[in-house]
Structure formats: structure tokens, C-alpha cells
Amino acid sequence: RPYLGAGHGATLDRLAAWMREAGMSARIDAAGNIVGRYEGLVADAPALLVGSHVDSVRDGGRYDGMLGVVLGIEAVAGFAARGRRFAFAIEVIGFGDEEGSRFPVSMLATRAVAGALDGQELDLRDGAGTTLAEALAAFGLDVAQLAGAARRRDEIVAYVEAHIEQGPVLEAED
């Protein structure tokens, strides 16, 4: 599931369907992250973010990253089935390029949400010579809106991530 590739797009489509089935709205932000929102007792309440990355990471293992996103969706589905709402919203987020698996910088899409991009990242090139700006545009995202992926501090209650590392080093060290 390379970031902004066909597999990434198919993954976002599937996750969006699962999010909607779980009672959330779903959207893709300007950085190519998927965000599912389960409203709280009050509309537009700050959100507890739950998630991880959805792109493939070399030697990351089948569940690396994806576990945190799917667990978030399942938790919300359980709350929705019981009619539970909270003083905060819950947002399940699936981040894009996590460990520089496509572009040579760590946590690219995560930094977009944190508002930590400086604009120079748009010129980064992947192994095939494609710039981030070109990849975003080819994926159907508006490069001029990239800063819009940033979240304000007052919109977030906290961030929780369930994550499993399955790389060969851990296995080799038993």
C-alpha cells in the first residue's frame, strides 16, 4: 500500500466504507489521510484521535499500523451499537507516509496533521522521481490545500495509538 498509490487508494476506500458502517462520517484530508468522525454529545466537540498509519512499511509486517486503525473503527462500532456518545468526538485516523516508505522523510502525513510542514516537502522526490506535489495531484488532492490538513490544538483532546511492531529484528531477537 504505497502512499498515494493505487493500493493506498483502495485501502482508503475500504476503510471509509467500514467507518460509515461503524456509524462515522469519513473523509480524506488534503494530505491523503483518512479521517472517520463519530460525533460526541455536542456537535463539533474536540476529538479523541485514535489511529495509526495505513501505508506499507518495509518489513513492517501485515498488521503494522493497520491494527491501530481497525481497532479504532471496531471500538466506535461498539459504541454506536450501544448508542453511546461522549463529551468529545472520536476520530479514527489512518495516516499516509509513515516512515519515509515512499518519500525520504519520516511521518510526512502525520506532520501535515500536526501543522509541521514548511512547504519544502512538496519538492521531495520518490524513487521514481515523482515529487510529492505531483503525487498529491495525481491522487486527486489539491496541493494548495495541503496546509488544510493541519489540526488546531483546541480541536484535539488526545491521541491514542495501538501499534504492533513485527519487523525481523524483534523476531530474530525472540
Side-chain angles (χ1 to χ4, degrees), residues 10 12 15 31-32 34 40 56-57 62 75 77-78 86 95 100 106 121 132 135 137 146 152 157 167 170:
L12 299 186
L15 289 171
I34 183 140
S56 299
V57 175
R62 181 176 294 179
F86 304 94
F95 294 107
S106 293
E121 294 85 358
L132 175 59
L146 186 58
R152 294 186 331 264
V157 173
L170 295 176

Side-chain angles (χ1 to χ4, degrees), residues 14-24 34 36 50 66-79 90 92-93:
R14 172 54 51 205
L15 289 171
W18 288 344
M19 288 171 169
R20 289 183 190 105
E21 289 171 13
M24 292 180 266
I34 183 140
V50 179
M66 195 59 77
L67 174 71
V69 178
V70 173
L71 284 176
I73 294 169
E74 287 299 313
V76 168
F79 295 138
I90 300 172
V92 178
I93 187 164

Side-chain angles (χ1 to χ4, degrees), residues 85-100:
R85 299 281 177 173
F86 304 94
F88 51 88
I90 300 172
E91 289 187 4
V92 178
I93 187 164
F95 294 107
D97 203 10
E98 173 74 4
E99 295 177 17

